[in-house]
Amino acid sequence: MFFTSTGVVMATLGTDVQTPRLAAARIGSDVGLLLAKLHAAGSVLNNRALADFGLRERSFSILTLACSGLEPTQRELADFLSLDPSQVVTLVDDLERRGLVERAQGKQDRRAKIIVSTAEGRRMHTKARAAMDSAELDQLAVLSGEESQELKRLLRKALWGAAE
């Protein structure tokens, strides 16, 4: 195990994670705490995996959605990612300066700007996605493949009400 710069305890690949002594307190079963700790640990791994691409979790999320073919608006990105719209503008501006995404006129509402990836953005995304997939495997290494899929299914159900 090692401590990250944020004080998050993480298991190194292939080792068992030990339950901290304080997890015996009732808060150790609170969903909010558990999700926050899992997210904090994952963010460290994700940002490390994305560093070689000049990306961080938030910019990668924008790029992923721009590559999805769903043609999200900036407002949709802000709502979906739980970010302030001004944060999305800054992230999109940076990705646009780098030639990874473009703002385009919406097909449904010509007043709305949609965010779409460029060819370079799609190439970058493919490489960064592979790094993120590897980081996720590292983070969930103590779970079986089936458990990992079940965790994702349950999280989607808790967030959006329907299990896929």
Side-chain angles (χ1 to χ4, degrees):
M1 277 199 229
F2 64 94
F3 285 90
T4 66
S5 60
T6 60
V8 176
V9 177
M10 297 177 51
T12 55
L13 210 97
T15 62
D16 291 327
V17 177
Q18 295 179 354
T19 304
R21 184 178 69 81
L22 296 180
R26 183 171 181 192
I27 195 171
S29 293
D30 287 355
V31 171
L33 175 79
L34 295 170
L35 289 174
K37 290 186 69 58
L38 186 64
H39 178 261
S43 290
V44 171
L45 290 173
N46 293 341
N47 287 327
R48 187 178 301 139
L50 293 169
D52 289 342
F53 306 100
L55 298 169
R56 296 189 53 81
E57 274 186 323
R58 288 179 175 179
S59 56
F60 176 77
S61 296
I62 300 284
L63 182 58
T64 297
L65 290 164
C67 289
S68 71
L70 296 173
E71 301 180 341
T73 65
Q74 289 185 164
R75 169 59 65 187
E76 287 176 311
L77 291 169
D79 290 346
F80 185 74
L81 298 172
S82 300
L83 297 173
D84 186 88
S86 65
Q87 292 173 300
V88 171
V89 168
T90 301
L91 291 164
V92 171
D93 286 348
D94 179 60
L95 292 170
E96 193 172 42
R97 269 192 299 280
R98 295 177 59 191
L100 302 175
V101 302
E102 297 174 338
R103 289 175 170 96
Q105 191 171 34
K107 294 175 185 168
Q108 303 298 326
D109 181 354
R110 296 171 50 89
R111 295 167 297 171
K113 294 292 185 187
I114 59 173
I115 309 304
V116 295
S117 61
T118 63
E120 179 59 28
R122 288 185 295 279
R123 281 190 291 276
M124 169 82 72
H125 181 262
T126 297
K127 294 173 189 171
R129 177 82 260 171
M132 287 289 285
D133 289 346
S134 179
E136 182 178 288
L137 286 174
D138 289 351
Q139 182 177 22
L140 301 178
V142 298
L143 300 179
S144 70
E146 186 177 291
E147 289 171 326
S148 178
Q149 291 306 313
E150 181 66 2
L151 174 63
K152 292 176 191 181
R153 186 189 71 75
L154 290 171
L155 290 170
R156 285 191 302 270
K157 185 175 182 179
L159 284 167
W160 301 305
E164 296 175 14

